[in-house]
Amino acid sequence: MKGNCYIQGMAAISPQLTFEGDIFSAPLIHTDSNLLACIEPDYKPFIPGNSLRRMTRVLKIGLTAALRCIQDSGLDTPGPIVTGTGKGSLQDTEKFIKEIVEYKETALNPTPFIQSTYNSVNGLIALQQKCTAYNNTFVHRGFSFENALLDSMMLIQEGASHTLTGAFEEITAEHFYIKSRIGFWKETPVNSAELYQHLSPGTIAGEGATFFALTGSPSPHTYAAISGFKMLYKPAPGKLTATLKDFSAGADLIITGRNGDSHHEHFYEELDSCYLGVPQVPFKHLCGEYDTAGAFGVWLAAQIIKAQQLPQQWFPQLQPLSAPVNSILFYNHFYGEQHVMLRLERV
């Protein structure tokens, strides 16, 4: 993808203290349950109480993160709303399916069905902001957020002044159990703060909602420019290495999606061989693994490049940045199938 777009505003609700306050002084939140759940903020400043009672968790975190992002950007309206999600509202989906069995397909409450659709968060944002512009949700597993980002960059190149672009995901007890049966998570409890020291099959589960206000031109408030974007689906042997070498020569820092899963560590070993000596920062110990975890990684990269420092308490094993970070390579993949590379540059 050619052509720059600029991150004008951001917001993230995650298992870390990312929604309010200074992330560079926030402590590292960790768990040994193999599941990192979101720290939910006070919703009342963003969502009316009568609406709040009828909304499930993913709707609350998605809408609140979007509204905080709009505030942070200083923009009056969200413009086109483009999001990605791998699973949507699992809580509502599970509730509706259980009621089908419980009530034998009669007298069903329609609310869980309505709110279980993938585009329910987009609809809530548009209703609250009275936005009638382009509105789209992408559901493509590990490429969900990336397709939303690609669509947004194309909209900006076609003349849109700005977009609201984001991703949201939740984990439930039932979904965690189902995925544990097929080997997604580690078999024994692992302290998330020590995730990368436990290289074994599986990883830890996560969830979150992350939104960006993207514009076609920079401003004094801009966090970073997205100047390069590449997606690969099940790359052939050698293709990933060749693409990594060509993609972002001269990167000062690399943000990686390493997650402690030994099945996919070889992809990051390919990355290591391409960028010898370049500092690497993994982020999955902060948010866990989920379909749209890449959105959190991009949010972290933009924070680092804007502030020119690492949240040191989140990365105690890494040395503080000693040189200016003008270019960051972001690389992530979802279970070895969907691979994404982004180049972020300092503005």
Side-chain angles (χ1 to χ4, degrees):
M1 182 71 193
K2 296 182 179 180
N4 288 7
C5 74
Y6 300 89
I7 300 175
Q8 174 77 8
M10 304 190 301
I13 296 175
S14 75
Q16 304 300 320
L17 296 169
T18 54
F19 190 72
E20 295 180 359
D22 179 13
I23 69 164
F24 298 97
S25 60
L28 171 64
I29 307 300
H30 56 95
T31 177
D32 58 3
S33 67
N34 288 358
L35 191 159
L36 279 165
C38 281
I39 298 173
E40 297 182 62
D42 181 7
Y43 297 118
K44 294 186 181 71
F46 300 92
I47 305 173
N50 58 344
S51 300
L52 199 56
R53 291 193 299 271
R54 296 192 295 270
M55 295 167 62
T56 53
R57 211 159 49 94
V58 73
L59 300 181
K60 294 175 187 175
I61 64 175
L63 176 58
T64 303
L67 296 178
R68 170 53 67 88
C69 176
I70 295 169
Q71 284 183 358
D72 184 54
S73 70
L75 300 170
D76 296 328
T77 58
I81 302 170
V82 194
T83 63
T85 181
K87 299 293 184 295
S89 179
L90 287 169
Q91 186 178 337
D92 275 313
T93 303
E94 291 170 359
K95 184 176 181 180
F96 183 70
I97 292 172
K98 287 176 181 177
E99 287 183 351
I100 288 177
V101 177
E102 183 179 351
Y103 297 115
K104 299 180 180 179
E105 301 185 29
T106 61
L108 295 173
N109 179 1
T111 303
F113 173 74
I114 295 167
Q115 294 187 160
S116 69
T117 59
Y118 297 106
N119 61 346
S120 56
V121 171
N122 283 41
L124 284 169
I125 299 168
L127 284 170
Q128 181 138 338
Q129 294 293 294
K130 297 180 173 58
C131 178
T132 57
Y134 177 89
N135 194 308
N136 201 5
T137 302
F138 288 87
V139 186
H140 294 283
R141 297 192 69 205
F143 275 160
S144 298
F145 167 69
E146 288 74 15
N147 275 308
L149 179 59
L150 176 62
D151 192 28
S152 299
M153 294 175 72
M154 291 171 65
L155 287 167
I156 289 172
Q157 287 191 6
E158 291 168 2
S161 61
H162 58 275
T163 69
L164 179 64
T165 305
F168 49 90
E169 221 72 63
E170 72 171 336
I171 188 74
T172 63
E174 289 85 352
H175 193 66
F176 179 83
Y177 173 73
I178 291 169
K179 283 199 166 181
S180 69
R181 295 294 300 273
I182 55 178
F184 271 45
W185 319 130
K186 292 188 180 297
E187 291 185 359
T188 57
V190 170
N191 187 331
S192 58
E194 302 170 353
L195 177 63
Y196 313 112
Q197 284 75 54
H198 296 271
L199 192 61
S200 58
T203 183
I204 60 174
E207 61 178 6
T210 309
F211 276 80
F212 304 89
L214 303 178
T215 61
S217 56
S219 76
H221 189 60
T222 297
Y223 285 88
I226 299 176
S227 59
F229 186 19
K230 185 78 173 179
M231 292 187 288
L232 296 175
Y233 179 69
K234 293 184 178 179
K239 176 66 174 177
L240 178 61
T241 299
T243 305
L244 283 167
K245 285 181 177 178
D246 294 340
F247 184 74
S248 187
D252 302 309
L253 184 70
I254 300 174
I255 307 290
T256 78
R258 264 192 167 99
N259 62 5
D261 189 339
S262 59
H263 290 313
H264 305 117
E265 182 65 15
H266 62 281
F267 293 118
Y268 297 105
E269 291 172 354
E270 289 187 53
L271 177 70
D272 296 343
S273 67
C274 296
Y275 293 93
L276 295 172
V278 180
Q280 293 191 21
V281 177
F283 67 91
K284 295 285 176 68
H285 69 293
L286 302 173
C287 66
E289 182 67 89
Y290 53 98
D291 299 51
T292 54
F296 180 86
V298 174
W299 174 90
L300 177 62
Q303 290 280 9
I304 292 171
I305 207 167
K306 174 73 171 179
Q308 290 292 297
Q309 63 173 312
L310 290 174
Q312 206 61 46
Q313 71 288 354
W314 289 358
F315 307 100
Q317 75 281 12
L318 299 178
Q319 294 295 320
L321 298 176
S322 58
V325 178
N326 296 313
S327 177
I328 290 181
L329 168 63
F330 172 81
Y331 169 66
N332 184 42
H333 71 81
F334 187 69
Y335 289 97
E337 295 185 350
Q338 295 95 355
H339 297 252
V340 61
M341 284 153 268
L342 281 168
R343 183 172 57 250
L344 289 87
E345 294 186 351
R346 189 179 182 186
V347 176

